[in-house]
Amino acid sequence: MTATMRAVVLDEPGPVSNLHLQNLPIPEPAPGWVRIKIKAFGLNRSELHTRLGYAGDAVTYPRVLGIEATGIVDADPSGTFTTGQQAMTMMGGMGRTFDGGYAEYTCVPLNQVIPFRSNLDWATLGAIPEMLQTAHGSLTIGLDARPGQSLLVRGGTSSVGMAAAILAKRLGMTVLSTTRDPGKTSALTRIGVDHVLIDDGAVAPQARIFAPGGVDAALELVGAPTLPDTLRATRVHGVVCFTGMLSNRWIVKDFYPIGYIPSGVRLTAYAGEATDLPADVLQSFLDDVATGHAPVPVDTVFTLDHIKNAHELMESGHTRGKLVVRVD
């Protein structure tokens, strides 16, 4: 009899009722692939977009969602990794072109497995892969951030926004983060944010109180609706990196660069893969978390049985950090 696992399957785009917890055969890793026994995984806006049907033809259904997973290596035909070795994985088509992390097991390409060593609990570890990869890549590739610079994080209480603030403070930056909810101010100051800006749609004037010439760098996580104001908050020769789309809007209509981008401000973008998170960067961050030198912004931990509740909370926008699902 074929061994089975529990997995969350999206039958077709639509409401949370389209997510079903089912028993599926445990997948077998093809040559060049690795099977991971999942201990925890984080939820991401990308999965919400897929569930709502925004992914277009990139996804076929039914599909096990999940662009990331954390657990232990269960099978590796190549022998590159040892059975039982801790590992994280993300992106590379997970949850879109092949079944992803909303399950007890997943198979992924060898090159997107990142090994690590840690005694942290699985819920904490499960929050980290995509959040850290996106924040690290945005700061290093997207913004070329430097110690002593000022950073504006637009969408500060999102998991990536909080992770970016944490990494920026470790780098020695002055961090300004936005939130639409004044009640979330303390969630940002607890992780080291220097200045919390209440986002009423016009953040640029507030940012220039603390950085009169404009901020050196800005991370846009809300999307197209707030991007013009974020650009206006940035100094000449400063950089804005478009990484997120919490607004579910990422297309700039009738884009005319000269009229849209302030003179001298630089606009970049970031979308990364597992290979953009070096193993030594991951291990260094985990070690700092273990010694109390870096927090991990976890909002709520769910189980597989409550995946619909988790998606409802993610869609509400009322989170203050990462949503995580424990699998074991």
Side-chain angles (χ1 to χ4, degrees), residues 2-325:
T2 302
T4 62
M5 66 174 184
R6 297 201 305 162
V8 177
V9 179
L10 177 66
D11 290 336
E12 61 181 3
V16 292
S17 58
N18 286 8
L19 294 171
H20 300 288
L21 187 57
Q22 299 179 2
N23 287 321
L24 299 178
I26 295 176
E28 289 295 330
W33 288 56
V34 175
R35 185 170 66 209
I36 294 175
K37 179 177 175 58
I38 300 171
K39 296 291 187 178
F41 61 85
L43 270 66
N44 300 276
R45 298 291 294 191
S46 171
E47 295 135 14
L48 176 60
H49 294 162
T50 300
R51 200 202 83 212
L52 294 175
Y54 297 158
D57 296 333
V59 185
T60 56
Y61 303 92
R63 175 64 64 212
V64 177
L65 296 182
I67 65 170
E68 64 176 314
T70 299
I72 59 175
V73 173
D74 186 67
D76 176 10
S78 74
T80 303
F81 298 104
T82 304
T83 301
Q85 187 172 4
Q86 292 176 304
M88 294 181 180
T89 186
M90 71 206 77
M91 302 298 287
M94 287 183 69
R96 290 194 164 196
T97 58
F98 61 89
D99 285 343
Y102 285 22
E104 293 180 322
Y105 294 86
T106 189
C107 289
V108 299
L110 182 69
N111 65 355
Q112 68 181 68
V113 177
I114 310 174
F116 67 90
R117 301 175 308 281
S118 179
N119 292 321
L120 293 168
D121 65 278
W122 285 112
T124 299
L125 292 168
I128 289 173
E130 179 60 15
M131 180 174 67
L132 180 62
Q133 181 269 125
T134 305
H136 171 76
S138 295
L139 290 176
T140 56
I141 299 172
L143 293 170
D144 192 26
R146 294 285 184 259
Q149 289 185 327
S150 55
L151 171 70
L152 170 63
V153 181
R154 193 73 178 257
T157 55
S158 65
S159 60
V160 173
M162 296 181 83
I166 291 165
L167 294 183
K169 292 306 298 179
R170 291 171 82 224
L171 186 61
M173 303 181 79
T174 298
V175 178
L176 297 73
S177 286
T178 73
T179 176
R180 293 176 298 172
D181 182 357
K184 294 183 178 181
T185 297
S186 60
L188 294 173
T189 56
R190 279 198 302 269
I191 61 171
V193 169
D194 298 287
H195 307 291
V196 178
L197 310 182
I198 305 304
D199 195 342
D200 59 1
V203 164
Q206 300 179 58
R208 286 180 178 270
I209 293 173
F210 303 104
V215 295
D216 298 304
L219 178 57
E220 180 58 72
L221 297 172
V222 177
T226 55
L227 180 58
D229 185 59
T230 300
L231 287 162
R232 288 191 292 270
T234 308
R235 68 168 174 83
V236 173
H237 298 160
V239 184
V240 176
C241 179
F242 190 107
T243 293
M245 58 240 5
L246 296 168
S247 63
N248 294 340
R249 291 172 57 191
W250 50 87
I251 302 297
V252 177
K253 293 183 179 179
D254 303 319
F255 179 61
Y256 173 51
I258 292 177
Y260 192 91
I261 304 174
S263 294
V265 176
R266 299 162 182 174
L267 176 60
T268 69
Y270 176 76
E273 297 285 346
T275 51
D276 294 308
L277 179 60
D280 61 333
V281 172
L282 170 61
Q283 190 62 56
S284 174
F285 183 76
L286 294 177
D287 293 344
D288 279 355
V289 174
T291 57
H293 291 101
V296 176
V298 175
D299 181 294
T300 308
V301 180
F302 296 87
T303 64
L304 271 178
D305 299 282
H306 296 97
I307 190 65
K308 293 180 182 180
N309 303 99
H311 258 249
E312 288 172 340
L313 181 55
M314 177 167 58
E315 190 169 4
S316 76
H318 293 156
T319 59
R320 306 181 185 190
K322 189 78 171 181
L323 301 178
V324 181
V325 174

